[in-house]
Amino acid sequence: MAGLVKKMKVGIVGCGAIGSQLARAVSRDAQSPLRIQTVTDSQEQKAHTLAKKIRPRPVCASLTQAAVLCDILVEAAGQSAVLDIANAVLENKKQLLVLSIGALVGNPGLIKMFQKKRCGLFFPSGAISGLDALKAGATGSLRSVRLITRKHPRSLAGAPYFLKKRMNPETIKTVTRIFSGSAAHAIQLFPANINVAAAVSLVGLGAKKTRVEIIADPHTRRNTHTLQVQGEFGRFTTVTENLPSRENPKTSMLAAAAALALLNAIAREERFGT
């Protein structure tokens, strides 16, 4: 009977825009194979506020409690929190879905630790299309991977790049290429804005060989990612034009949707494409 199906217990760590959006989406779907079991945030009031909006109501838990009570934790707390969350998951032999993918680029040993302990480590495709083709191409010889990201300056606000340049992004009034270099460097300068570069790097040539351009466009209303890949298979180009999240313009609406789709696939033990 459908009512007796055991649901996968999910813990949301980080109750900001994307974590809240994901939790509410699960709560709205009566047929979901998921249940939001716990919510966790360094600011406890945020967790309590989110918990009141979810049915059935989740437990406001510490990170340690969440790792015990849940089957999988979803990291939505930012790069600085990933290592602590990962350690809690590994200690309890659970699974982890990471949204702040740049942290995995900076901690390659973390991926190996999950493999060693046979704990599931997942990251969604987020705000970009084409990762399935890139992953397939990477089984052969990749020659070049280039990512061009175009965003409104306010979607880039708060990035270390602007602090380093002593620059206010609101002063950008014309289309301006503000960065060109490796994905590794881009992730350092735009840690909350360029998660896509981290995902592309992990799947393809790595952060040092993946080339990234970031364009600040005060006239655009979308976050656009153009992925250009060449290899022995041939070449392909994908263009993803995202609407920014209403709650947080630094991220795209598609990012939360991609995380939800991946959680559903994990719970149902199904996979489509590569």
Side-chain angles (χ1 to χ4, degrees):
M1 294 177 63
L4 297 178
V5 174
K6 184 179 178 181
K7 296 193 174 188
M8 187 169 74
K9 292 178 286 188
V10 179
I12 302 292
V13 184
C15 300
I18 193 166
S20 298
Q21 186 180 344
L22 182 57
R24 292 195 300 267
V26 171
S27 179
R28 288 193 298 265
D29 184 3
Q31 303 303 315
S32 174
L34 312 168
R35 170 177 174 157
I36 304 300
Q37 185 74 14
T38 66
V39 289
T40 304
D41 198 281
S42 58
Q43 299 179 42
E44 292 185 12
Q45 187 55 48
K46 281 189 176 182
H48 286 288
T49 298
L50 177 58
K52 292 176 183 178
K53 301 175 182 178
I54 305 300
R55 294 291 180 272
R57 187 165 175 169
V59 176
C60 294
S62 67
L63 178 57
T64 301
Q65 290 171 326
V68 171
L69 294 173
C70 298
D71 301 312
I72 186 168
L73 295 190
V74 177
E75 173 279 313
Q79 286 193 31
S80 61
V82 170
L83 193 56
D84 287 340
I85 298 169
N87 286 334
V89 168
L90 288 168
E91 186 175 340
N92 290 276
K93 295 184 178 180
K94 298 298 178 67
Q95 302 184 92
L96 175 62
L97 189 151
V98 176
L99 298 182
S100 303
I101 303 170
L104 298 181
V105 174
N107 293 279
L110 200 58
I111 297 175
K112 293 181 180 179
M113 186 61 69
F114 271 81
Q115 293 171 341
K116 181 179 179 180
K117 294 203 172 185
R118 297 192 175 185
C119 296
L121 177 63
F122 306 94
F123 60 91
S125 55
I128 192 170
S129 60
L131 289 191
D132 52 350
L134 177 58
K135 184 163 57 174
T139 62
S141 175
L142 288 174
R143 297 192 184 97
S144 67
V145 178
R146 183 173 177 232
L147 173 69
I148 305 168
T149 289
R150 179 184 294 260
K151 290 188 175 187
H152 193 282
R154 66 171 168 266
S155 293
L156 298 165
Y161 170 88
F162 294 108
L163 296 176
K164 186 176 181 180
K165 295 286 186 179
R166 296 183 179 180
M167 177 182 178
N168 182 351
E170 294 297 329
T171 63
I172 299 176
K173 302 301 180 183
T174 59
V175 177
T176 305
R177 186 177 70 176
I178 60 174
F179 177 85
S180 179
S182 71
H185 198 194
I187 292 164
Q188 291 175 353
L189 294 177
F190 301 88
N193 314 89
I194 196 70
N195 240 1
V196 164
V200 168
S201 298
L202 287 170
V203 172
L205 285 174
K208 293 182 179 180
K209 293 183 179 180
T210 300
R211 308 306 298 172
V212 173
E213 292 183 24
I214 301 175
I215 299 171
D217 183 352
H219 309 299
T220 188
R221 295 183 178 180
R222 301 175 184 270
N223 298 335
T224 302
H225 303 291
T226 301
L227 179 62
Q228 301 173 338
V229 179
Q230 294 189 46
E232 66 178 7
F233 67 90
R235 63 182 179 181
F236 71 83
T237 298
T238 69
V239 180
T240 312
E241 297 183 353
N242 297 285
L243 291 174
S245 166
R246 287 182 289 271
E247 293 90 349
N248 180 7
K250 293 180 183 179
T251 190
S252 302
M253 290 177 64
L254 191 61
L260 178 58
L262 180 52
L263 278 173
N264 282 326
I266 296 168
R268 293 181 173 127
E269 297 183 339
E270 63 186 17
R271 176 180 294 203
F272 294 95
T274 53

